Amino acid sequence: MPAPSTTLLIEGSFTELADEFAQYIDALRKSEASSSLQSEISPLLQPLREQEQSEAEPDRKQRDEVLKKLVSAAVVLNSAPEKEIISAYNLLVHLVHQASDPDMFLSRICTYLAKPISSSPQFGPSLAISILSTIFNTLAPSDSSRYHVLLATVAVIRQSSSSIAFDALKSQLAAQLPSWLAAWELDADEAQRLHLAIADAAQASGDPELAQTHVVQALQTIPAANASSPEARDLAVRALTSALTHPAVFDFTPLTASDAVQTLRSSDSTLFELLEIFTADTLDAYEAFISATPLASISGGVLAEAGEALQNKMRLLTLASLAASTPSRSLPYATIATALRVELTDVEKWVIDTIRAGLVEGKLSQLRSEFLVHRATYRVFGEKQWAEVQGRLMVWRRSLENVLGVVRSERERFVREGLQAAQAAEEAAQGKGNDKKGGDRRRHNNNNNQQQQQQQQQQAPAAPAAAPEAVAVE
C-alpha cells in the first residue's frame, strides 16, 4: 500500500502528549466545564505510562478510551487563538493516528473543521482547509478516512464561496476523484453524498457546469430498486431542471438513461414530456406544449422563471436539427427564420449562437442569404438518422466511384500515351540506325569498287609495240 505523502513529526510519548493536549483544552474551556479534562483522563493514562516505561506493547483499547474524551472535548478548538489552531489540531491528529481505528475519530474531527472557526472569521476557511489538507495527506491513498476529510474540505469551500480555493480543489478532482472513489470502495449512498457536496460547492463558487456534472453522477448512483423513492424523485427533478435551464447542456442522454428519471414518467409526467421535447423535438412542439401546459404548473413550478432560457435553448436545438436533416447542406435564411420564428435580420445572430454552442459548424453567406452547413450534431440517433447516414454514404460512395473512374481513365491514358511515346522514340532510333548502316554500306561498296578498278589496271598486260614499217628491197 502506498505510503502517505505527509508525516507529522511531533516529539513525546502518547501519554505526555495526551496530558499536554488535555491541559490546553482546559485552558480554552476555563470555567465552562465542571471538571477538568486532565483529571478525567489521568486514571486512564496511568496504565499506559507504565507500559511505556516497561517498553511493553501499548494497550490500544486503553488509548481509544483516552482519545474518546480528547476528541469529544476538541470541539472547543475552533475558538482557540488564530496562531494556535493549526498546531493544536496537528497534535490531536497525531494522537488519533495511534488509535486502533483512526477513522472513527477523524470523521468527528472533520465535522469540527467543517464548522466556522469563531476566533478567525476572515481566515477561518483557509485555516480549516490547511488542517484538512494535512490530515488528507497523512493518510494512505487507499484509506477510506480520506472520504470524510474530502467531504469536510468541500463543505468549507462551499461555506466560504471561495472560487480560488475551489479552483485548487477542482484540478485535483478532475485528475484524482475517479481513482479515489475506486480505492475507497464507497457504497452508493456515500458516493452520492460526495457528488452532491461537490455540486453544491461548485454552484456556490460559480461553476454551474461542474455542478451539473456531479448532480448527474449522483443520480447515477441510485440503484434501480430505489429509483421510485422520494429521495430519488427529488434528485431526478433537480438534475432534470438543472439540465434544461443550463445554457451549455444539450445532451440529455445521461438523464434519459437514469432509472430515477424514467420514473418521472408516472410521478411527474409533464416534466418528463418536456424532457422528451428537448431531446428530439423542435420549437413548434415546445410552443404547442407550453400553450397547453404552463411552466408554473410543472412539478411544483420548478421551471416557472425559466421561460426565456428554455425558449432560447429550444431555438438552438431546432437549428441543429434543421442543419442535420438538410440533404443539400444549404439552409436559406428564410427557412431558418421560419423554423426559429425570428425576424430575417436576426437569423445570423442565432446561427452564430448555435455555432458557439458547438451544435453546428458552417459558413454564413450574406451574398446568397444562406448558411452552408459543414457539420451538424444529431440530437438523437435512431432508425431515421441511420437511414440518413446510409443515404449520405451512398452519395459519397458514388462520388468516390466517379472520382476513381476519372483517375483510372486518366491513368490508362497516361500509360497509353507513355507507351506510344516510347514506341515512337524506339522506331525513330531504329530509323536513324538503318540510315547510318546504309550510308556505311554504300561507302564500303564504293571503296571496294575503287580498289578493284585499281587492281585491274595494275594487272592488265602492256599493249604490243607497233610493227616496223616494211623496207623495200630493190
Side-chain angles (χ1 to χ4, degrees), residues 353-364:
D353 287 345
T354 309
I355 292 174
R356 285 174 176 170
L359 296 174
V360 296
E361 291 179 4
K363 182 180 180 181
L364 287 166

Side-chain angles (χ1 to χ4, degrees), residues 190-465:
E190 290 173 331
Q192 181 185 131
R193 183 183 175 191
L194 179 58
H195 283 301
L196 290 177
I198 296 173
D200 292 339
Q203 191 70 42
S205 301
D207 193 340
E209 187 171 353
L210 185 64
Q212 171 64 19
T213 299
H214 282 278
V215 167
V216 173
Q217 290 179 354
L219 189 66
Q220 293 170 347
T221 63
I222 300 176
N226 299 334
S228 58
S229 66
E231 295 77 11
R233 181 260 173 192
D234 292 343
L235 183 54
V237 170
R238 174 184 174 180
L240 185 49
T241 303
S242 175
L244 291 174
T245 56
H246 195 290
V249 176
F250 298 99
D251 182 11
F252 302 98
T253 304
L255 291 173
T256 56
S258 168
D259 294 324
V261 171
Q262 288 295 325
T263 59
L264 297 180
R265 191 188 296 270
S266 56
S267 62
D268 296 76
S269 58
T270 54
L271 182 60
F272 190 84
E273 185 179 352
L274 185 61
L275 171 63
E276 291 181 320
I277 292 174
F278 272 82
T279 300
D281 247 318
T282 60
L283 183 64
D284 291 340
Y286 169 75
E287 294 192 344
F289 171 81
I290 293 301
S291 63
T293 310
L295 291 175
S297 65
I298 299 175
S299 298
V302 292
L303 295 171
E305 305 296 329
E308 183 178 357
L310 293 176
Q311 187 180 51
N312 291 343
K313 177 181 278 193
M314 201 68 240
R315 284 195 171 106
L316 301 182
L317 292 170
T318 300
L319 181 53
S321 295
L322 191 63
S325 61
T326 303
S328 65
R329 292 299 188 182
S330 175
L331 282 175
Y333 282 10
T335 302
I336 298 174
T338 302
L340 303 189
R341 299 188 180 184
V342 296
E343 297 293 333
L344 198 62
T345 54
D346 293 332
V347 166
E348 291 185 356
K349 166 189 173 298
W350 285 103
V351 172
I352 292 172
D353 287 345
T354 309
I355 292 174
R356 285 174 176 170
L359 296 174
V360 296
E361 291 179 4
K363 182 180 180 181
L364 287 166
S365 175
Q366 294 180 334
L367 183 63
R368 293 184 293 180
S369 295
E370 65 179 8
F371 175 52
L372 303 176
V373 182
H374 297 164
R375 181 193 67 81
T377 301
Y378 282 100
R379 295 164 59 196
V380 293
F381 213 90
E383 184 176 351
K384 180 180 178 181
Q385 287 70 34
W386 279 115
E388 291 179 5
V389 171
Q390 183 182 18
R392 290 176 181 175
L393 287 175
M394 293 301 296
V395 172
W396 187 37
R397 178 179 178 179
R398 286 193 292 269
S399 299
L400 288 178
E401 288 175 347
N402 293 335
V403 172
L404 288 174
V406 172
V407 172
R408 190 181 296 111
S409 63
E410 288 297 315
R411 180 180 179 183
E412 292 174 352
R413 184 181 64 82
F414 177 78
V415 172
R416 186 170 58 253
E417 292 179 352
L419 291 175
Q420 291 174 354
Q423 186 176 359
E426 183 179 357
E427 290 176 354
Q430 289 177 354
K432 290 182 180 179
N434 292 334
D435 292 343
K436 182 178 180 181
K437 289 180 180 178
D440 293 342
R441 190 178 299 111
R442 284 192 294 272
R443 286 192 297 272
H444 181 69
N445 292 336
N446 290 336
N447 292 334
N448 289 339
N449 292 335
Q450 292 176 359
Q451 291 177 359
Q452 290 176 359
Q453 290 176 0
Q454 291 176 358
Q455 290 177 358
Q456 290 175 359
Q457 291 176 358
Q458 293 175 357
Q459 295 174 0

Side-chain angles (χ1 to χ4, degrees), residues 4-8 86 88-94 96-97 102-103 105-114 127-141 143 145-150 152-153:
S5 57
T6 300
T7 303
L8 290 175
I86 292 180
Y89 267 109
N90 285 346
L91 175 56
L92 179 59
V93 170
H94 174 73
V96 164
H97 275 306
D103 186 43
F105 299 113
L106 288 175
S107 59
R108 192 165 183 178
I109 294 174
C110 292
T111 303
Y112 298 158
L113 289 167
L127 294 172
I129 292 173
S130 176
I131 298 166
L132 288 167
S133 299
T134 299
I135 297 174
F136 190 88
N137 291 323
T138 58
L139 299 170
D143 195 330
S145 297
R146 279 188 160 193
Y147 164 75
H148 301 290
V149 182
L150 182 58
T153 304

